[in-house]
Amino acid sequence: MAKHLERMAERLAALGHPVRLAILRRVVQGPEEGTPAGEIQSHLGIPASTLSHHLATLAESDLITADRQGTFLRYRAQFPVLLQLSGYLWE
């Protein structure tokens, strides 16, 4: 139980930053095959290094995954994880 609680808190903490929340919303609304990092960056207007930091935090929390396609990275939302998190809040 404590491990589960810690994991949920970690995921909520990852979402507790405005830029990460905006990134996640962009990825959730993006195409099924994933949203390219460059598209996320241009939409948010932030430096690549800043974006990379926030994407890593979201990925470490299992809220998104990255798929490499050649030289591009596409990010996809982990919908089962997001549903688990929202379900946890409603329990």
Side-chain angles (χ1 to χ4, degrees):
M1 173 88 170
K3 180 87 170 157
H4 183 67
L5 179 61
E6 288 176 24
R7 192 67 175 147
M8 294 298 114
E10 176 187 312
R11 290 175 177 158
L12 289 169
L15 293 175
H17 191 284
V19 171
R20 288 193 290 269
L21 190 55
I23 290 168
L24 183 64
R25 285 181 50 87
R26 186 67 176 182
V27 171
V28 164
Q29 296 168 355
E32 188 175 322
E33 66 273 9
T35 305
E39 182 181 314
I40 298 168
Q41 181 186 4
S42 66
H43 177 75
L44 297 177
I46 60 175
S49 60
T50 302
L51 176 63
S52 178
H53 165 74
H54 289 303
L55 288 168
T57 300
L58 291 169
E60 288 169 5
S61 297
D62 295 327
L63 297 170
I64 62 172
T65 58
D67 294 319
R68 183 169 293 283
Q69 295 178 341
T71 59
F72 295 97
L73 283 173
R74 290 182 168 272
Y75 290 88
R76 290 185 298 129
Q78 289 294 93
F79 289 106
V81 174
L82 292 168
L83 288 171
Q84 180 188 38
L85 181 60
S86 63
Y88 177 79
L89 294 173
W90 287 102
E91 284 178 0

